[in-house]
């Protein structure tokens, strides 16, 4: 009871401090620390991923309720295939569970789901499920949720360069006309605002190939909290801290 009251007081404080008129439009989240969360409890790493998946759904709901417009979550990187097959399989099973049952859990919530990353690595059946979830939510106008799957910022830029080179080769685009906006328009996040804030829990201070182009001027926020333990209070705290920053974009 005492703990609950302390939590309520803390929660209330940050909630009061956040300026809800000046929210970051787009928040990127590197959902890291599932393995260490499980290890601390003597559980297999896969249990950490199960707990992390629950936190993912909860935080997406919280972000929507707070009024955030775009959230991009890093769920599986182009480098994560290097993990033991057993762990990769467990992660894929969790993702499939989200694709099969996530829609009913999202029912009534105004969330548009979009998957970013290289889909060609997934089976046709898996890719169909990705399209199905996107189509089923495409008319929702509340929170836009980008789920990064087999995503790598370098892979995304390499693909963009190839597509642009092809257009130039075919005479559909002249190389003098290539601008920063051209490049943005060939990324998975085409048409979306760049992330204002990128959150990384788990005590690591790196981007691990997440939104390399889009994050050029993002404010970075780090925390020791392991992803399964991440709460709405942590999210509000990151937004509050973001609001204290002075974004200069190279100016004065
Ligand atoms: C993040 O947690 C989940 C994915 C990368 C898929 P980790 O599995 O990287 O957890 P740690 O970093 O080993 O604790
Ligand atoms: C980043 O976490 C990828 C995801 C959270 C999906 P990692 O655990 O893969 O990153 P590193 O290996 O610590 O850089
Ligand atoms: Mg990790």
């Amino acid at each position: 009871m005492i703990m609950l009251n302390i939590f309520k007081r803390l929660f209330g404080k940050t909630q009061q401090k956040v300026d809800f008129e000046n929210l970051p439009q787009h928040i990127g989240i590197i959902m890291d620390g599932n393995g260490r969360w499980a290890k601390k409890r003597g559980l297999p790493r896969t249990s950490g991923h199960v707990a992390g998946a629950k936190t993912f759904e909860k935080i997406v709901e919280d972000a929507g309720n707070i009024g955030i417009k775009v959230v991009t979550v890093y769920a599986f990187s182009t480098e994560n295939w290097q993990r033991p097959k057993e762990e990769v399989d467990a992660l894929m099973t969790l993702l499939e569970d989200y694709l099969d049952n996530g829609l009913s859990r999202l029912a009534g919530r105004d969330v548009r789901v979009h998957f970013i990353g290289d889909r060609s690595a997934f089976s046709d059946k898996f890719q169909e499920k990705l399209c199905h979830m996107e189509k089923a939510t495409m008319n929702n106008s509340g929170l836009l949720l980008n789920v990064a799957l087999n995503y790598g910022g370098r892979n995304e830029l390499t693909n963009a360069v190839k597509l642009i080179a092809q257009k130039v080769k075919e005479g559909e685009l002249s190389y003098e006309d290539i601008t920063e906006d051209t490049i943005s328009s060939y990324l998975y996040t085409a048409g979306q605002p760049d992330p204002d804030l990128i959150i990384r829990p788990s005590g690591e201070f790196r981007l691990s190939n997440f939104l390399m182009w889009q994050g050029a001027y993002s404010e970075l926020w780090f925390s020791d909290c392991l992803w399964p333990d991440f709460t709405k209070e942590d999210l509000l705290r990151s937004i509050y801290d973001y609001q204290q920053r002075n974004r200069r974009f190279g100016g004065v």
Side-chain angles (χ1 to χ4, degrees), residues 30-36 45 80 83 200 202 204 206 208:
I30 302 174
M31 304 189 291
D32 195 22
N34 296 348
R36 278 163 285 174
R45 290 179 58 83
N80 287 147
R83 296 187 177 201
R200 182 164 194 160
S202 93
E204 310 293 355
R206 55 179 172 258
S208 302

Side-chain angles (χ1 to χ4, degrees), residues 13 21 187 212 223:
K13 271 187 184 163
E21 301 301 311
L187 304 180
M212 300 309 291
S223 157

